[in-house]
Amino acid sequence: MTLFRDGVSGLPRDGRPVVATVGTFDGVHRGHWSVLEEIGARAAARGGRSVLVTFEPHPLKVVRPEAAPKLLTTPGEKKEALAGSRLDYVVFLAFTPELREYSPRRFVTEILVGGLGMGELVVGHDHGFGRGRSGDADTLRDIGAELGFAVDVVEAVRAGSAAVSSSSIRRALAEGGLAGANRGLGRPYPLTGTVVAGDGRGRELGFPTANLSVHGDKLVPAEGIYACRATVSAGRFMGALHIGPRPTFPGAEAAVEVHLLDFDGELYGDEVRLELVERLRPVAAFGSAAELAERMRADVLRAREVLAGGRGAPE
């Protein structure tokens, strides 16, 4: 998979047919994955190339900044998720105020057909595009019939009775429903942060933690204690993650902090990449530091049991 960050003009044109899809793809969830698998299969069958055109930043950051959602995947996390696909190329298209004003026809004509040389387009069932999201699958079929490219729509992927979507995954995470969010994603929810200085209370309690500064646009799940896997410069470890307030200590600020099991070392300045596997419990206040330490011992034991059991693998 090759990445392009400067638009479609750098994409090589070698005469092979191009099968493309386009969208924000925040989360790269199971619904997105079904579209990616479809364009990969169609491109392989035609001896062509599969291309995803996605956007950075999220279009709502430009169209309606006050309504822009927190991200399920930062740009780096999105690239990492896409690396496991059958895609030949990914184009990160800058979503600018100028691009916002493109009509559906202009976007297809200039970007997809003129820029990519697209011969076939595959989109999700709820795809909307162009100024004010005025274009849909029917719009694409009309333009395709005129310009000579085929359009296929992939039906929704369902988790239980509901269609998998980025918005439904965001709701689940905000409500503490990590299990449902992970089912929709098809993998554990990622959370990446840089280790910054904390107040050292975890070490005093016998459970040293790395305090994380998380990307400002990233969706941090509901407060609670989570079993997670962590990747740091020293390797990969099991972990117990705290998100939210620390009510046992009046005046303490809320934090995102992770205790790495079986790790002894310094992490200041490190990037920590987490995979959230299970929400163990909500945040609770304890009568003393000793009571909190006892509960932390139980949390760490439970996290070890969950993670050693192999949970968190994609379905």
Side-chain angles (χ1 to χ4, degrees):
M1 184 184 80
T2 303
L3 300 175
F4 290 89
R5 300 192 59 84
D6 298 321
V8 298
S9 59
L11 197 72
R13 302 286 286 269
D14 58 8
R16 288 185 293 162
V18 171
V19 183
T21 190
V22 60
T24 304
F25 278 67
D26 185 29
V28 195
H29 55 61
R30 289 172 55 209
H32 296 143
W33 210 253
S34 68
V35 175
L36 298 180
E37 289 178 340
E38 183 68 16
I39 69 167
R42 286 172 178 258
R46 298 180 59 183
R49 300 177 296 165
S50 56
V51 182
L52 163 63
V53 178
T54 189
F55 303 108
E56 191 178 315
H58 191 289
L60 279 176
K61 288 279 285 185
V62 175
V63 177
R64 291 175 56 209
E66 73 284 357
K70 292 291 187 179
L71 298 176
L72 297 174
T73 42
T74 63
E77 291 166 347
K78 184 191 286 189
K79 292 170 199 169
E80 188 171 312
L82 291 171
S85 72
R86 298 173 61 183
L87 289 168
D88 293 308
Y89 300 104
V90 177
V91 177
F92 280 82
L93 193 63
F95 196 91
T96 62
E98 292 74 22
L99 187 63
R100 176 188 62 187
E101 297 304 319
Y102 274 39
S103 67
R105 175 176 292 277
R106 183 182 178 190
F107 182 84
V108 171
T109 302
E110 292 187 12
I111 305 296
L112 301 183
V113 176
L116 295 182
M118 181 189 70
E120 189 170 359
L121 179 64
V122 179
V123 295
H125 70 103
D126 58 350
H127 184 72
F129 72 106
R131 185 173 54 241
R133 286 179 62 88
S134 55
D136 57 15
D138 288 336
T139 308
L140 288 170
R141 290 188 182 100
D142 290 343
I143 299 173
E146 178 183 338
L147 299 182
F149 63 85
V151 177
D152 186 61
V153 177
V154 175
E155 293 304 314
V157 171
R158 310 193 79 80
S161 60
V164 173
S165 68
S166 297
S167 58
S168 68
I169 293 170
R170 289 190 192 98
R171 285 194 299 272
L173 290 168
E175 295 167 0
L178 180 67
N182 285 354
R183 281 194 297 272
L185 289 167
R187 65 188 187 283
Y189 183 65
L191 190 65
T192 303
T194 302
V195 180
V196 297
D199 55 20
R201 282 201 175 97
R203 187 173 298 278
E204 292 173 2
L205 294 168
F207 298 94
T209 59
N211 280 59
L212 303 182
S213 173
V214 178
H215 190 293
D217 287 334
K218 174 71 175 182
L219 174 61
V220 177
E223 64 183 50
I225 310 301
Y226 294 81
C228 64
R229 296 189 180 93
T231 301
V232 297
S233 59
R236 190 166 166 84
F237 298 86
M238 295 185 284
L241 173 70
H242 169 102
I243 295 175
R246 296 179 288 171
T248 303
F249 304 104
E253 295 183 355
V256 178
E257 51 186 348
V258 62
H259 170 69
L260 302 186
L261 281 61
D262 308 316
F263 174 80
D264 184 19
E266 291 295 339
L267 290 169
Y268 291 122
D270 246 21
E271 181 180 79
V272 179
R273 294 158 52 209
L274 302 177
E275 300 167 6
L276 277 58
V277 174
E278 184 172 310
R279 186 171 187 257
L280 302 178
R281 64 173 176 88
V283 170
F286 295 90
S288 67
E291 288 182 20
L292 173 58
E294 184 62 29
R295 185 54 189 266
M296 290 172 73
R297 276 188 282 275
D299 292 337
V300 168
L301 178 61
R302 179 59 182 152
R304 190 184 295 276
E305 291 173 346
V306 166
L307 298 167
R311 299 192 196 178
E315 297 179 358

